[in-house]
Structure formats: C-alpha cells, structure tokens
Amino acid sequence: YCSPAFAHQNALVAAVAAANPNTVVVVSSPGAVLLPWSGQVRAILANFYPGQQAGNAIADVLFGAANPSGKLPVTFPNCENETRFTAAQWPGLPDPTAPSYAFYTEKLLVGYRYYDAWEIRFTTGFPFGHGLSYTTFTYSALQATPESVTLVVANTGKAAGAEVAQLYLGFP
C-alpha cells in the first residue's frame, strides 16, 4: 500500500530513468517493495534501517569508498501478492478481535523455496540473498558432509570487499 503522499514514486523513478539511463536509485525501506522500473535504471542500492550515519554510508557506497557487500535479507517480489497469500493464512482473520488460529498452508514453501518450487523467475524483483559487489570472488575446494560444508572464498578483483557464501537447501 502506498499512501496518497507517496503514490507517484514509481512513476517519478520511471520518468527520471527515461530521461537519464545512468539513474541510480537508493531504496530506503523497512522491507520488501515493488520495483517495476528496476530494468530501466543502472543500479539499485537498498538499505534497511541504516541509522544516523545513513547519508555518509550511502555516499561511501555510491562513490566507491566502501564496497556494497551485503545481501538482501528479504525477497523483493515481481508483483503484489506473488506468493498468493490468502486471508486464511493471517492469524486473526476473519475476526481480528479474537485471533485463535493460523493456517500454514504454504508448509515449507516460504520465501526462496516458494519461488523455486513454482519456478518463478525474477523480472523486476530480486531474490533473497541477492547482492552485488565492486569486486569479484571465486569459490573453490568445496567439501560437503552430512554435518557441514566448507569452501575457500578468494577476492579475485581489484577492490577490497567481503563476500557472504550462501547455501540453499532444496527438497530431495
């Protein structure tokens, strides 16, 4: 939901991007938002609850003084209700004054697992764990046992940076 005061933000971003193909958008939000214009901009920098030094931190990333090494903690969907939530899945509905039940009909298909199971591809959104860097990394010496996974991560680029190795589980 966009309040009337913010209802035209997507149109504004699309108009600016149409006028300048080098547009970079900084998204400051408490969670996932729709980005219908994502394919029209050069880059998107997301920050969540950045604190009082937000301006300095964002400037450092935009001007290359700091490497954006983070990963998305949520999925940015392609469209509203892409995962097809129903009213029955929300505790307290249809009577919010007497919440007494919750139906977890999605079972284990939450987040990236839902997208994987339904083979939903990202067109304007971005998956949980997505993130880019000003440098490159290689992964090698992957070893997996039933109890652990180990690997070596090396920065192979020219810029300093940090990487978060991610392992996603799927159903057998």
Side-chain angles (χ1 to χ4, degrees), residues 25-35 37 44-48 58 76:
V25 177
V26 177
V27 176
S28 297
S29 70
V33 294
L34 297 178
L35 308 170
W37 37 260
I44 301 167
L45 174 62
N47 67 94
F48 303 89
I58 291 167
F76 280 37

Side-chain angles (χ1 to χ4, degrees), residues 141-166:
L142 177 65
Q143 296 182 354
T145 69
E147 293 82 30
S148 68
V149 175
T150 60
L151 69 136
V152 174
V153 178
N155 183 340
T156 57
K158 295 180 181 177
E163 176 67 329
V164 176
Q166 301 174 71

